[in-house]
Amino acid sequence: MMPDQRLWAPWRMRYVQGERKDEGCIFCLAGESGDDETRLVLHRGRRCLVMLNAFPYNSGHLMVSPHRHIASIEDLDDDELLELMTLTRSALRAVRQTYAPDCFNLGVNEGEIAGAGFAGHVHLHVVPRWAADSNFMAVTADTRVLPQSLGDSFAQLREQFAEVP
């Protein structure tokens, strides 16, 4: 970037300052809500749900979480753990079908220091990656450029989850 050029992303100020529209856990609120599009919920299982990350690292960045507000995988019952992993597999397939990534990063967030903005509710991130997704913006400007809006991501991925039982 030239020194006199600016890249403005004013919608990110809410995130940077830690402000949230909702009071409470985003995963619990998503589980309780009937408005899947507003909450970015792509699929609801009996024990877990899949949702888009509202502040993604890449387009198609999903999160899988149990319905129960629980802090650790260690405390999930066997049925919750199985569904968490089964929906993670479905998420991988949906993102692979929609975006054709080169690979994925999968990560479980447990606890605030681990990067969990909602430390009391364990969740698993599914982040698609491409060979060319690290470009000069991330390296020199600490900025991510996402090629697709959340609305478009939601619409495309929602179609893929229509097939998931």
Side-chain angles (χ1 to χ4, degrees):
M1 268 181 132
M2 299 295 295
D4 60 341
Q5 293 179 326
R6 302 284 184 265
L7 177 64
W8 299 100
W11 56 89
R12 294 202 37 94
M13 184 55 76
R14 178 174 60 119
Y15 176 72
V16 170
Q17 292 180 333
E19 295 176 18
R20 301 208 193 317
K21 287 183 196 175
D22 301 315
E23 293 297 322
C25 173
I26 62 167
F27 302 105
C28 291
L29 289 165
E32 296 164 1
S33 173
D35 188 357
D36 288 350
E37 191 166 354
T38 298
R39 295 287 178 188
L40 303 174
V41 175
L42 295 165
H43 180 79
R44 293 174 184 277
R46 293 186 70 206
R47 295 167 183 85
C48 299
L49 60 81
V50 180
M51 63 190 291
L52 277 171
N53 188 328
F55 300 100
Y57 296 125
N58 279 329
S59 296
H61 178 169
L62 307 183
M63 298 180 295
V64 185
S65 74
H67 292 305
R68 275 197 312 145
H69 187 86
I70 194 156
S72 176
I73 282 185
E74 295 170 298
D75 298 323
L76 295 175
D77 66 35
D78 289 346
D79 291 332
E80 289 169 319
L81 184 60
L82 178 60
E83 187 167 292
L84 183 81
M85 295 314 296
T86 300
L87 286 179
T88 298
R89 179 178 60 196
S90 296
L92 288 166
R93 288 177 179 159
V95 172
R96 193 180 312 280
Q97 182 69 29
T98 303
Y99 295 102
D102 295 319
C103 59
F104 290 89
N105 287 127
L106 301 177
V108 176
N109 280 19
E110 285 196 20
E112 190 170 357
I113 303 304
F118 297 91
H121 201 132
V122 65
H123 53 284
L124 192 150
H125 289 261
V126 176
V127 183
R129 301 295 307 271
W130 294 266
D133 71 1
S134 290
N135 60 33
F136 78 97
M137 291 297 288
V139 174
T140 63
D142 196 24
T143 301
R144 293 220 176 252
V145 177
L146 300 160
Q148 187 177 48
S149 73
L150 280 175
D152 289 346
S153 293
F154 182 85
Q156 281 190 290
L157 287 164
R158 184 66 176 232
E159 288 179 28
Q160 296 297 321
F161 277 96
E163 310 283 322
V164 176

